[in-house]
Amino acid sequence: MNGNKTGTVWTAVAHIVTGVIGSGVLSLAWSIAQVGWIAGPLAILLFASITLLSAFLLSDTYRSPDPQYGPHRSSSYLDAVNLHKGKARLLLHDPHWVVTGIGSGRASGVFVNISLYGFGIAYVITAAISMSAIQKSNCYQDKGTEEACEFGDAYFMLIFGAVQIVLSQIPNFHNIQWLSILAAIMSFAYAFIGMALALMQVIEKGYIEGSIQGINTSSGTEKLWLVAQALGDIAFSYPFAVILIEIQDTLKSPPPENQTMRKASTISVIVTTFFYLCCGCCGYAAFGNDTPGNLLTGFSSSKLHWLVDFANACIVIHLVGAYQVYSQPLFANVENWLRFKFPDNEFVNHTYLLKLPLLPAFQISLLRLSFRTVYVASTTGIAMIFPYFNQILGVLAGIIYYPLTIYFPVEMYLSQSNIEAWTTKWILLRLFSIIGFVVGFFTLIGSIEGIITAKLS
């Protein structure tokens, strides 16, 4: 009985939707534009299927040795890898096993923390684009020309970063369910608005833009790199593997957590895929070869500018929550490691009670205050240096998609289930892993090329 946990299917769905429907949804119309009407939707369905399979494999690794009733539970993705593939597999009696993994545990730790950190950078960029779009829209209505309304995004990145410094003082993942639910509502709102605006533009034109082969390029090499970036953006828009175990750890039991998580994952992937197909296809149908990298920026001169502004405001609110959903696990990883390494250090372990006028008393930790402030400042700074939306998403997907969504879930599942080599299931899972590696490497190379090109141009 997991009596101190209160999470349900629907709170898990809210957490997943908050983490999944974020920056990615805005880039999907552009992604479809690179590969065309047939390959684009098929790619979205393919990555949806991969994500769901990965979620099913991961949900069974939460408990060990039995996926439903095993006494050993993991509180994070890293814990699960350490439990099934690291030193912790041999040290289950050790109360500090969560930070003792070696080999696979260390490798997964690098990828998990790169992933969480990268999502923070991407969300700073996206939130700034949306805030800037609101200002540009209002400026356009006043001055009537887009040329007079060009604003940089750095100022808005600093505002978003300041908000995140405050919110990052929330102690842990279990204290942000309200933020996840609010953010999930916002994600539905702007997804519907973007889809509706694109559909209205198609109706006004009276025809559908786009083609079977996607946009035309000056060379086959340029097309290849754009396809790689497009696949990277689609891959980025899906994986929630890195936060799945944390979400599963909030679920009450009975019923077994893996059953609840499978239901929540299925509902979430179906819902997000529906929105992704609708937003991506409607956006491409509206703009064709001129589809912008961020869908809503294409409507800055729309007659319904107030609705576009509202959608961009919803994105900002959503990303405020999504930033925390992805950052809290990293905070926990680093702070738990420091507490284990320095158990007697007052700076690391001591908390102080702070009482401000008109506010309830709350505990403050010097470690939490300093580390999380530096973390937010660094994600904001990198976003200001490399504000390339589509390319950054592609690079992040290229680095983290294969190891976190395919390789480690497959390896953990094989280890826990004791599947013999060269059986049908073993061969299929290995083939799944190899194909995932090839796709991930392809998207990484293409997206790095895109960043270099953008920086030099």
Side-chain angles (χ1 to χ4, degrees), residues 24-25 27-28 30-31 227-238 293 389-395 397 443 447:
V25 71
S27 68
L28 289 175
W30 180 88
S31 299
V227 169
Q229 291 176 42
L231 293 178
D233 285 6
I234 295 172
F236 177 88
S237 69
Y238 265 111
F389 178 67
N390 296 95
Q391 294 89 341
I392 288 291
L393 301 193
V395 166
T443 63
S447 299

mmCIF file with all atom_site columns, all heavy atoms in Angstrom, residues 24-25 27-28 30-31 227-238 293 389-395 397 443 447:
data_model
loop_
_atom_site.group_PDB
_atom_site.id
_atom_site.type_symbol
_atom_site.label_atom_id
_atom_site.label_alt_id
_atom_site.label_comp_id
_atom_site.label_asym_id
_atom_site.label_entity_id
_atom_site.label_seq_id
_atom_site.pdbx_PDB_ins_code
_atom_site.Cartn_x
_atom_site.Cartn_y
_atom_site.Cartn_z
_atom_site.occupancy
_atom_site.B_iso_or_equiv
_atom_site.pdbx_formal_charge
_atom_site.auth_seq_id
_atom_site.auth_comp_id
_atom_site.auth_asym_id
_atom_site.auth_atom_id
_atom_site.pdbx_PDB_model_num
ATOM 1   N N   . GLY A 1 24  ? 7.385  21.925 -28.505 1.00 0.00 ? 24  GLY A N   1
ATOM 2   C CA  . GLY A 1 24  ? 7.315  21.077 -29.686 1.00 0.00 ? 24  GLY A CA  1
ATOM 3   C C   . GLY A 1 24  ? 6.133  21.324 -30.580 1.00 0.00 ? 24  GLY A C   1
ATOM 4   O O   . GLY A 1 24  ? 6.261  21.278 -31.809 1.00 0.00 ? 24  GLY A O   1
ATOM 5   N N   . VAL A 1 25  ? 4.963  21.582 -30.006 1.00 0.00 ? 25  VAL A N   1
ATOM 6   C CA  . VAL A 1 25  ? 3.755  21.708 -30.821 1.00 0.00 ? 25  VAL A CA  1
ATOM 7   C C   . VAL A 1 25  ? 3.855  22.877 -31.796 1.00 0.00 ? 25  VAL A C   1
ATOM 8   O O   . VAL A 1 25  ? 3.281  22.849 -32.885 1.00 0.00 ? 25  VAL A O   1
ATOM 9   C CB  . VAL A 1 25  ? 2.498  21.847 -29.922 1.00 0.00 ? 25  VAL A CB  1
ATOM 10  C CG1 . VAL A 1 25  ? 2.455  23.197 -29.233 1.00 0.00 ? 25  VAL A CG1 1
ATOM 11  C CG2 . VAL A 1 25  ? 1.223  21.630 -30.728 1.00 0.00 ? 25  VAL A CG2 1
ATOM 12  N N   . SER A 1 27  ? 6.440  23.853 -33.443 1.00 0.00 ? 27  SER A N   1
ATOM 13  C CA  . SER A 1 27  ? 7.364  23.624 -34.554 1.00 0.00 ? 27  SER A CA  1
ATOM 14  C C   . SER A 1 27  ? 6.870  22.570 -35.537 1.00 0.00 ? 27  SER A C   1
ATOM 15  O O   . SER A 1 27  ? 7.496  22.342 -36.574 1.00 0.00 ? 27  SER A O   1
ATOM 16  C CB  . SER A 1 27  ? 8.729  23.185 -34.015 1.00 0.00 ? 27  SER A CB  1
ATOM 17  O OG  . SER A 1 27  ? 8.636  21.891 -33.431 1.00 0.00 ? 27  SER A OG  1
ATOM 18  N N   . LEU A 1 28  ? 5.739  21.917 -35.230 1.00 0.00 ? 28  LEU A N   1
ATOM 19  C CA  . LEU A 1 28  ? 5.327  20.767 -36.032 1.00 0.00 ? 28  LEU A CA  1
ATOM 20  C C   . LEU A 1 28  ? 4.877  21.141 -37.439 1.00 0.00 ? 28  LEU A C   1
ATOM 21  O O   . LEU A 1 28  ? 5.096  20.384 -38.385 1.00 0.00 ? 28  LEU A O   1
ATOM 22  C CB  . LEU A 1 28  ? 4.224  19.989 -35.308 1.00 0.00 ? 28  LEU A CB  1
ATOM 23  C CG  . LEU A 1 28  ? 4.714  19.236 -34.074 1.00 0.00 ? 28  LEU A CG  1
ATOM 24  C CD1 . LEU A 1 28  ? 3.557  18.592 -33.340 1.00 0.00 ? 28  LEU A CD1 1
ATOM 25  C CD2 . LEU A 1 28  ? 5.746  18.181 -34.445 1.00 0.00 ? 28  LEU A CD2 1
ATOM 26  N N   . TRP A 1 30  ? 6.097  23.532 -39.230 1.00 0.00 ? 30  TRP A N   1
ATOM 27  C CA  . TRP A 1 30  ? 7.360  23.714 -39.951 1.00 0.00 ? 30  TRP A CA  1
ATOM 28  C C   . TRP A 1 30  ? 7.971  22.361 -40.296 1.00 0.00 ? 30  TRP A C   1
ATOM 29  O O   . TRP A 1 30  ? 8.490  22.162 -41.399 1.00 0.00 ? 30  TRP A O   1
ATOM 30  C CB  . TRP A 1 30  ? 8.329  24.529 -39.097 1.00 0.00 ? 30  TRP A CB  1
ATOM 31  C CG  . TRP A 1 30  ? 9.660  24.772 -39.741 1.00 0.00 ? 30  TRP A CG  1
ATOM 32  C CD1 . TRP A 1 30  ? 10.001 25.803 -40.579 1.00 0.00 ? 30  TRP A CD1 1
ATOM 33  C CD2 . TRP A 1 30  ? 10.843 23.964 -39.614 1.00 0.00 ? 30  TRP A CD2 1
ATOM 34  N NE1 . TRP A 1 30  ? 11.313 25.685 -40.980 1.00 0.00 ? 30  TRP A NE1 1
ATOM 35  C CE2 . TRP A 1 30  ? 11.850 24.564 -40.402 1.00 0.00 ? 30  TRP A CE2 1
ATOM 36  C CE3 . TRP A 1 30  ? 11.137 22.799 -38.913 1.00 0.00 ? 30  TRP A CE3 1
ATOM 37  C CZ2 . TRP A 1 30  ? 13.135 24.039 -40.504 1.00 0.00 ? 30  TRP A CZ2 1
ATOM 38  C CZ3 . TRP A 1 30  ? 12.410 22.260 -39.017 1.00 0.00 ? 30  TRP A CZ3 1
ATOM 39  C CH2 . TRP A 1 30  ? 13.391 22.881 -39.801 1.00 0.00 ? 30  TRP A CH2 1
ATOM 40  N N   . SER A 1 31  ? 7.912  21.418 -39.360 1.00 0.00 ? 31  SER A N   1
ATOM 41  C CA  . SER A 1 31  ? 8.478  20.086 -39.595 1.00 0.00 ? 31  SER A CA  1
ATOM 42  C C   . SER A 1 31  ? 7.773  19.382 -40.744 1.00 0.00 ? 31  SER A C   1
ATOM 43  O O   . SER A 1 31  ? 8.420  18.772 -41.606 1.00 0.00 ? 31  SER A O   1
ATOM 44  C CB  . SER A 1 31  ? 8.381  19.235 -38.321 1.00 0.00 ? 31  SER A CB  1
ATOM 45  O OG  . SER A 1 31  ? 9.107  19.827 -37.270 1.00 0.00 ? 31  SER A OG  1
ATOM 46  N N   . VAL A 1 227 ? 15.383 17.912 -43.429 1.00 0.00 ? 227 VAL A N   1
ATOM 47  C CA  . VAL A 1 227 ? 14.617 16.727 -43.013 1.00 0.00 ? 227 VAL A CA  1
ATOM 48  C C   . VAL A 1 227 ? 15.116 16.249 -41.650 1.00 0.00 ? 227 VAL A C   1
ATOM 49  O O   . VAL A 1 227 ? 14.318 15.886 -40.772 1.00 0.00 ? 227 VAL A O   1
ATOM 50  C CB  . VAL A 1 227 ? 14.739 15.596 -44.065 1.00 0.00 ? 227 VAL A CB  1
ATOM 51  C CG1 . VAL A 1 227 ? 14.183 14.282 -43.511 1.00 0.00 ? 227 VAL A CG1 1
ATOM 52  C CG2 . VAL A 1 227 ? 13.988 15.984 -45.331 1.00 0.00 ? 227 VAL A CG2 1
ATOM 53  N N   . ALA A 1 228 ? 16.434 16.261 -41.453 1.00 0.00 ? 228 ALA A N   1
ATOM 54  C CA  . ALA A 1 228 ? 17.006 15.855 -40.164 1.00 0.00 ? 228 ALA A CA  1
ATOM 55  C C   . ALA A 1 228 ? 16.512 16.760 -39.040 1.00 0.00 ? 228 ALA A C   1
ATOM 56  O O   . ALA A 1 228 ? 16.131 16.287 -37.956 1.00 0.00 ? 228 ALA A O   1
ATOM 57  C CB  . ALA A 1 228 ? 18.532 15.883 -40.230 1.00 0.00 ? 228 ALA A CB  1
ATOM 58  N N   . GLN A 1 229 ? 16.511 18.084 -39.285 1.00 0.00 ? 229 GLN A N   1
ATOM 59  C CA  . GLN A 1 229 ? 16.010 19.020 -38.271 1.00 0.00 ? 229 GLN A CA  1
ATOM 60  C C   . GLN A 1 229 ? 14.531 18.797 -37.997 1.00 0.00 ? 229 GLN A C   1
ATOM 61  O O   . GLN A 1 229 ? 14.081 18.865 -36.843 1.00 0.00 ? 229 GLN A O   1
ATOM 62  C CB  . GLN A 1 229 ? 16.239 20.460 -38.737 1.00 0.00 ? 229 GLN A CB  1
ATOM 63  C CG  . GLN A 1 229 ? 17.696 20.882 -38.770 1.00 0.00 ? 229 GLN A CG  1
ATOM 64  C CD  . GLN A 1 229 ? 17.869 22.280 -39.339 1.00 0.00 ? 229 GLN A CD  1
ATOM 65  O OE1 . GLN A 1 229 ? 17.092 23.180 -39.028 1.00 0.00 ? 229 GLN A OE1 1
ATOM 66  N NE2 . GLN A 1 229 ? 18.886 22.472 -40.164 1.00 0.00 ? 229 GLN A NE2 1
ATOM 67  N N   . ALA A 1 230 ? 13.765 18.525 -39.060 1.00 0.00 ? 230 ALA A N   1
ATOM 68  C CA  . ALA A 1 230 ? 12.324 18.297 -38.897 1.00 0.00 ? 230 ALA A CA  1
ATOM 69  C C   . ALA A 1 230 ? 12.062 17.066 -38.038 1.00 0.00 ? 230 ALA A C   1
ATOM 70  O O   . ALA A 1 230 ? 11.225 17.094 -37.125 1.00 0.00 ? 230 ALA A O   1
ATOM 71  C CB  . ALA A 1 230 ? 11.665 18.139 -40.268 1.00 0.00 ? 230 ALA A CB  1
ATOM 72  N N   . LEU A 1 231 ? 12.775 15.971 -38.302 1.00 0.00 ? 231 LEU A N   1
ATOM 73  C CA  . LEU A 1 231 ? 12.610 14.760 -37.498 1.00 0.00 ? 231 LEU A CA  1
ATOM 74  C C   . LEU A 1 231 ? 13.040 15.007 -36.057 1.00 0.00 ? 231 LEU A C   1
ATOM 75  O O   . LEU A 1 231 ? 12.431 14.494 -35.109 1.00 0.00 ? 231 LEU A O   1
ATOM 76  C CB  . LEU A 1 231 ? 13.415 13.612 -38.098 1.00 0.00 ? 231 LEU A CB  1
ATOM 77  C CG  . LEU A 1 231 ? 12.944 13.081 -39.459 1.00 0.00 ? 231 LEU A CG  1
ATOM 78  C CD1 . LEU A 1 231 ? 13.868 11.978 -39.954 1.00 0.00 ? 231 LEU A CD1 1
ATOM 79  C CD2 . LEU A 1 231 ? 11.503 12.562 -39.369 1.00 0.00 ? 231 LEU A CD2 1
ATOM 80  N N   . GLY A 1 232 ? 14.095 15.817 -35.888 1.00 0.00 ? 232 GLY A N   1
ATOM 81  C CA  . GLY A 1 232 ? 14.530 16.167 -34.537 1.00 0.00 ? 232 GLY A CA  1
ATOM 82  C C   . GLY A 1 232 ? 13.471 16.946 -33.786 1.00 0.00 ? 232 GLY A C   1
ATOM 83  O O   . GLY A 1 232 ? 13.214 16.701 -32.601 1.00 0.00 ? 232 GLY A O   1
ATOM 84  N N   . ASP A 1 233 ? 12.826 17.901 -34.459 1.00 0.00 ? 233 ASP A N   1
ATOM 85  C CA  . ASP A 1 233 ? 11.772 18.688 -33.820 1.00 0.00 ? 233 ASP A CA  1
ATOM 86  C C   . ASP A 1 233 ? 10.589 17.810 -33.421 1.00 0.00 ? 233 ASP A C   1
ATOM 87  O O   . ASP A 1 233 ? 9.984  17.988 -32.362 1.00 0.00 ? 233 ASP A O   1
ATOM 88  C CB  . ASP A 1 233 ? 11.299 19.809 -34.757 1.00 0.00 ? 233 ASP A CB  1
ATOM 89  C CG  . ASP A 1 233 ? 12.305 20.952 -34.837 1.00 0.00 ? 233 ASP A CG  1
ATOM 90  O OD1 . ASP A 1 233 ? 13.397 20.818 -34.261 1.00 0.00 ? 233 ASP A OD1 1
ATOM 91  O OD2 . ASP A 1 233 ? 11.998 21.969 -35.468 1.00 0.00 ? 233 ASP A OD2 1
ATOM 92  N N   . ILE A 1 234 ? 10.232 16.857 -34.294 1.00 0.00 ? 234 ILE A N   1
ATOM 93  C CA  . ILE A 1 234 ? 9.122  15.945 -33.970 1.00 0.00 ? 234 ILE A CA  1
ATOM 94  C C   . ILE A 1 234 ? 9.507  15.065 -32.790 1.00 0.00 ? 234 ILE A C   1
ATOM 95  O O   . ILE A 1 234 ? 8.712  14.857 -31.863 1.00 0.00 ? 234 ILE A O   1
ATOM 96  C CB  . ILE A 1 234 ? 8.746  15.084 -35.193 1.00 0.00 ? 234 ILE A CB  1
ATOM 97  C CG1 . ILE A 1 234 ? 8.187  15.967 -36.311 1.00 0.00 ? 234 ILE A CG1 1
ATOM 98  C CG2 . ILE A 1 234 ? 7.701  14.024 -34.804 1.00 0.00 ? 234 ILE A CG2 1
ATOM 99  C CD1 . ILE A 1 234 ? 7.956  15.236 -37.623 1.00 0.00 ? 234 ILE A CD1 1
ATOM 100 N N   . ALA A 1 235 ? 10.737 14.554 -32.800 1.00 0.00 ? 235 ALA A N   1
ATOM 101 C CA  . ALA A 1 235 ? 11.202 13.725 -31.687 1.00 0.00 ? 235 ALA A CA  1
ATOM 102 C C   . ALA A 1 235 ? 11.197 14.515 -30.384 1.00 0.00 ? 235 ALA A C   1
ATOM 103 O O   . ALA A 1 235 ? 10.775 14.010 -29.328 1.00 0.00 ? 235 ALA A O   1
ATOM 104 C CB  . ALA A 1 235 ? 12.607 13.195 -31.980 1.00 0.00 ? 235 ALA A CB  1
ATOM 105 N N   . PHE A 1 236 ? 11.645 15.774 -30.449 1.00 0.00 ? 236 PHE A N   1
ATOM 106 C CA  . PHE A 1 236 ? 11.667 16.619 -29.248 1.00 0.00 ? 236 PHE A CA  1
ATOM 107 C C   . PHE A 1 236 ? 10.265 16.814 -28.687 1.00 0.00 ? 236 PHE A C   1
ATOM 108 O O   . PHE A 1 236 ? 10.085 16.932 -27.472 1.00 0.00 ? 236 PHE A O   1
ATOM 109 C CB  . PHE A 1 236 ? 12.282 17.982 -29.592 1.00 0.00 ? 236 PHE A CB  1
ATOM 110 C CG  . PHE A 1 236 ? 12.279 18.951 -28.432 1.00 0.00 ? 236 PHE A CG  1
ATOM 111 C CD1 . PHE A 1 236 ? 13.334 18.977 -27.536 1.00 0.00 ? 236 PHE A CD1 1
ATOM 112 C CD2 . PHE A 1 236 ? 11.225 19.827 -28.251 1.00 0.00 ? 236 PHE A CD2 1
ATOM 113 C CE1 . PHE A 1 236 ? 13.332 19.864 -26.471 1.00 0.00 ? 236 PHE A CE1 1
ATOM 114 C CE2 . PHE A 1 236 ? 11.217 20.714 -27.188 1.00 0.00 ? 236 PHE A CE2 1
ATOM 115 C CZ  . PHE A 1 236 ? 12.273 20.733 -26.294 1.00 0.00 ? 236 PHE A CZ  1
ATOM 116 N N   . SER A 1 237 ? 9.281  16.862 -29.557 1.00 0.00 ? 237 SER A N   1
ATOM 117 C CA  . SER A 1 237 ? 7.929  17.177 -29.110 1.00 0.00 ? 237 SER A CA  1
ATOM 118 C C   . SER A 1 237 ? 7.263  16.030 -28.372 1.00 0.00 ? 237 SER A C   1
ATOM 119 O O   . SER A 1 237 ? 6.191  16.200 -27.810 1.00 0.00 ? 237 SER A O   1
ATOM 120 C CB  . SER A 1 237 ? 7.064  17.588 -30.308 1.00 0.00 ? 237 SER A CB  1
ATOM 121 O OG  . SER A 1 237 ? 6.820  16.486 -31.148 1.00 0.00 ? 237 SER A OG  1
ATOM 122 N N   . TYR A 1 238 ? 7.885  14.866 -28.343 1.00 0.00 ? 238 TYR A N   1
ATOM 123 C CA  . TYR A 1 238 ? 7.243  13.713 -27.719 1.00 0.00 ? 238 TYR A CA  1
ATOM 124 C C   . TYR A 1 238 ? 7.835  13.203 -26.406 1.00 0.00 ? 238 TYR A C   1
ATOM 125 O O   . TYR A 1 238 ? 7.097  13.001 -25.455 1.00 0.00 ? 238 TYR A O   1
ATOM 126 C CB  . TYR A 1 238 ? 7.167  12.546 -28.718 1.00 0.00 ? 238 TYR A CB  1
ATOM 127 C CG  . TYR A 1 238 ? 5.840  12.497 -29.429 1.00 0.00 ? 238 TYR A CG  1
ATOM 128 C CD1 . TYR A 1 238 ? 5.743  12.785 -30.774 1.00 0.00 ? 238 TYR A CD1 1
ATOM 129 C CD2 . TYR A 1 238 ? 4.689  12.197 -28.740 1.00 0.00 ? 238 TYR A CD2 1
ATOM 130 C CE1 . TYR A 1 238 ? 4.528  12.767 -31.431 1.00 0.00 ? 238 TYR A CE1 1
ATOM 131 C CE2 . TYR A 1 238 ? 3.459  12.177 -29.371 1.00 0.00 ? 238 TYR A CE2 1
ATOM 132 C CZ  . TYR A 1 238 ? 3.389  12.454 -30.724 1.00 0.00 ? 238 TYR A CZ  1
ATOM 133 O OH  . TYR A 1 238 ? 2.179  12.440 -31.343 1.00 0.00 ? 238 TYR A OH  1
ATOM 134 N N   . GLY A 1 293 ? 8.825  28.815 -38.314 1.00 0.00 ? 293 GLY A N   1
ATOM 135 C CA  . GLY A 1 293 ? 9.338  27.833 -37.359 1.00 0.00 ? 293 GLY A CA  1
ATOM 136 C C   . GLY A 1 293 ? 8.472  27.721 -36.121 1.00 0.00 ? 293 GLY A C   1
ATOM 137 O O   . GLY A 1 293 ? 8.330  26.654 -35.530 1.00 0.00 ? 293 GLY A O   1
ATOM 138 N N   . PHE A 1 389 ? 15.327 28.565 -32.386 1.00 0.00 ? 389 PHE A N   1
ATOM 139 C CA  . PHE A 1 389 ? 14.248 27.704 -31.899 1.00 0.00 ? 389 PHE A CA  1
ATOM 140 C C   . PHE A 1 389 ? 14.293 26.300 -32.492 1.00 0.00 ? 389 PHE A C   1
ATOM 141 O O   . PHE A 1 389 ? 14.509 25.312 -31.787 1.00 0.00 ? 389 PHE A O   1
ATOM 142 C CB  . PHE A 1 389 ? 12.904 28.383 -32.208 1.00 0.00 ? 389 PHE A CB  1
ATOM 143 C CG  . PHE A 1 389 ? 11.698 27.582 -31.801 1.00 0.00 ? 389 PHE A CG  1
ATOM 144 C CD1 . PHE A 1 389 ? 11.433 27.361 -30.472 1.00 0.00 ? 389 PHE A CD1 1
ATOM 145 C CD2 . PHE A 1 389 ? 10.837 27.071 -32.752 1.00 0.00 ? 389 PHE A CD2 1
ATOM 146 C CE1 . PHE A 1 389 ? 10.322 26.633 -30.083 1.00 0.00 ? 389 PHE A CE1 1
ATOM 147 C CE2 . PHE A 1 389 ? 9.715  26.353 -32.390 1.00 0.00 ? 389 PHE A CE2 1
ATOM 148 C CZ  . PHE A 1 389 ? 9.463  26.132 -31.047 1.00 0.00 ? 389 PHE A CZ  1
ATOM 149 N N   . ASN A 1 390 ? 14.098 26.165 -33.790 1.00 0.00 ? 390 ASN A N   1
ATOM 150 C CA  . ASN A 1 390 ? 14.003 24.836 -34.411 1.00 0.00 ? 390 ASN A CA  1
ATOM 151 C C   . ASN A 1 390 ? 15.299 24.046 -34.294 1.00 0.00 ? 390 ASN A C   1
ATOM 152 O O   . ASN A 1 390 ? 15.283 22.831 -34.041 1.00 0.00 ? 390 ASN A O   1
ATOM 153 C CB  . ASN A 1 390 ? 13.619 24.970 -35.893 1.00 0.00 ? 390 ASN A CB  1
ATOM 154 C CG  . ASN A 1 390 ? 12.236 25.571 -36.074 1.00 0.00 ? 390 ASN A CG  1
ATOM 155 O OD1 . ASN A 1 390 ? 12.109 26.774 -36.268 1.00 0.00 ? 390 ASN A OD1 1
ATOM 156 N ND2 . ASN A 1 390 ? 11.200 24.755 -35.979 1.00 0.00 ? 390 ASN A ND2 1
ATOM 157 N N   . GLN A 1 391 ? 16.421 24.710 -34.476 1.00 0.00 ? 391 GLN A N   1
ATOM 158 C CA  . GLN A 1 391 ? 17.708 24.011 -34.429 1.00 0.00 ? 391 GLN A CA  1
ATOM 159 C C   . GLN A 1 391 ? 18.044 23.514 -33.019 1.00 0.00 ? 391 GLN A C   1
ATOM 160 O O   . GLN A 1 391 ? 18.566 22.408 -32.849 1.00 0.00 ? 391 GLN A O   1
ATOM 161 C CB  . GLN A 1 391 ? 18.823 24.923 -34.940 1.00 0.00 ? 391 GLN A CB  1
ATOM 162 C CG  . GLN A 1 391 ? 18.718 25.277 -36.415 1.00 0.00 ? 391 GLN A CG  1
ATOM 163 C CD  . GLN A 1 391 ? 17.870 26.528 -36.657 1.00 0.00 ? 391 GLN A CD  1
ATOM 164 O OE1 . GLN A 1 391 ? 17.081 26.928 -35.803 1.00 0.00 ? 391 GLN A OE1 1
ATOM 165 N NE2 . GLN A 1 391 ? 18.045 27.136 -37.816 1.00 0.00 ? 391 GLN A NE2 1
ATOM 166 N N   . ILE A 1 392 ? 17.743 24.333 -32.014 1.00 0.00 ? 392 ILE A N   1
ATOM 167 C CA  . ILE A 1 392 ? 17.999 23.924 -30.626 1.00 0.00 ? 392 ILE A CA  1
ATOM 168 C C   . ILE A 1 392 ? 17.165 22.696 -30.271 1.00 0.00 ? 392 ILE A C   1
ATOM 169 O O   . ILE A 1 392 ? 17.639 21.742 -29.636 1.00 0.00 ? 392 ILE A O   1
ATOM 170 C CB  . ILE A 1 392 ? 17.701 25.079 -29.639 1.00 0.00 ? 392 ILE A CB  1
ATOM 171 C CG1 . ILE A 1 392 ? 18.771 26.179 -29.757 1.00 0.00 ? 392 ILE A CG1 1
ATOM 172 C CG2 . ILE A 1 392 ? 17.608 24.564 -28.210 1.00 0.00 ? 392 ILE A CG2 1
ATOM 173 C CD1 . ILE A 1 392 ? 20.143 25.771 -29.259 1.00 0.00 ? 392 ILE A CD1 1
ATOM 174 N N   . LEU A 1 393 ? 15.889 22.701 -30.689 1.00 0.00 ? 393 LEU A N   1
ATOM 175 C CA  . LEU A 1 393 ? 15.025 21.546 -30.419 1.00 0.00 ? 393 LEU A CA  1
ATOM 176 C C   . LEU A 1 393 ? 15.599 20.291 -31.071 1.00 0.00 ? 393 LEU A C   1
ATOM 177 O O   . LEU A 1 393 ? 15.606 19.208 -30.476 1.00 0.00 ? 393 LEU A O   1
ATOM 178 C CB  . LEU A 1 393 ? 13.602 21.788 -30.944 1.00 0.00 ? 393 LEU A CB  1
ATOM 179 C CG  . LEU A 1 393 ? 12.823 22.996 -30.414 1.00 0.00 ? 393 LEU A CG  1
ATOM 180 C CD1 . LEU A 1 393 ? 11.354 22.874 -30.804 1.00 0.00 ? 393 LEU A CD1 1
ATOM 181 C CD2 . LEU A 1 393 ? 12.957 23.121 -28.913 1.00 0.00 ? 393 LEU A CD2 1
ATOM 182 N N   . GLY A 1 394 ? 16.076 20.443 -32.309 1.00 0.00 ? 394 GLY A N   1
ATOM 183 C CA  . GLY A 1 394 ? 16.630 19.297 -33.024 1.00 0.00 ? 394 GLY A CA  1
ATOM 184 C C   . GLY A 1 394 ? 17.885 18.749 -32.372 1.00 0.00 ? 394 GLY A C   1
ATOM 185 O O   . GLY A 1 394 ? 18.066 17.533 -32.264 1.00 0.00 ? 394 GLY A O   1
ATOM 186 N N   . VAL A 1 395 ? 18.780 19.635 -31.920 1.00 0.00 ? 395 VAL A N   1
ATOM 187 C CA  . VAL A 1 395 ? 20.005 19.194 -31.260 1.00 0.00 ? 395 VAL A CA  1
ATOM 188 C C   . VAL A 1 395 ? 19.679 18.451 -29.958 1.00 0.00 ? 395 VAL A C   1
ATOM 189 O O   . VAL A 1 395 ? 20.240 17.389 -29.669 1.00 0.00 ? 395 VAL A O   1
ATOM 190 C CB  . VAL A 1 395 ? 20.936 20.392 -30.970 1.00 0.00 ? 395 VAL A CB  1
ATOM 191 C CG1 . VAL A 1 395 ? 22.044 19.997 -29.997 1.00 0.00 ? 395 VAL A CG1 1
ATOM 192 C CG2 . VAL A 1 395 ? 21.540 20.901 -32.259 1.00 0.00 ? 395 VAL A CG2 1
ATOM 193 N N   . ALA A 1 397 ? 16.957 16.861 -29.192 1.00 0.00 ? 397 ALA A N   1
ATOM 194 C CA  . ALA A 1 397 ? 16.388 15.552 -29.531 1.00 0.00 ? 397 ALA A CA  1
ATOM 195 C C   . ALA A 1 397 ? 17.480 14.596 -29.977 1.00 0.00 ? 397 ALA A C   1
ATOM 196 O O   . ALA A 1 397 ? 17.476 13.415 -29.601 1.00 0.00 ? 397 ALA A O   1
ATOM 197 C CB  . ALA A 1 397 ? 15.338 15.708 -30.630 1.00 0.00 ? 397 ALA A CB  1
ATOM 198 N N   . THR A 1 443 ? 19.414 13.091 -36.813 1.00 0.00 ? 443 THR A N   1
ATOM 199 C CA  . THR A 1 443 ? 18.827 14.372 -36.394 1.00 0.00 ? 443 THR A CA  1
ATOM 200 C C   . THR A 1 443 ? 19.855 15.257 -35.716 1.00 0.00 ? 443 THR A C   1
ATOM 201 O O   . THR A 1 443 ? 19.845 16.483 -35.895 1.00 0.00 ? 443 THR A O   1
ATOM 202 C CB  . THR A 1 443 ? 17.631 14.153 -35.446 1.00 0.00 ? 443 THR A CB  1
ATOM 203 O OG1 . THR A 1 443 ? 18.087 13.502 -34.244 1.00 0.00 ? 443 THR A OG1 1
ATOM 204 C CG2 . THR A 1 443 ? 16.553 13.305 -36.086 1.00 0.00 ? 443 THR A CG2 1
ATOM 205 N N   . SER A 1 447 ? 20.842 18.968 -37.165 1.00 0.00 ? 447 SER A N   1
ATOM 206 C CA  . SER A 1 447 ? 20.507 20.131 -36.350 1.00 0.00 ? 447 SER A CA  1
ATOM 207 C C   . SER A 1 447 ? 21.745 20.941 -35.978 1.00 0.00 ? 447 SER A C   1
ATOM 208 O O   . SER A 1 447 ? 21.686 22.169 -35.894 1.00 0.00 ? 447 SER A O   1
ATOM 209 C CB  . SER A 1 447 ? 19.761 19.676 -35.090 1.00 0.00 ? 447 SER A CB  1
ATOM 210 O OG  . SER A 1 447 ? 18.562 19.022 -35.440 1.00 0.00 ? 447 SER A OG  1
#
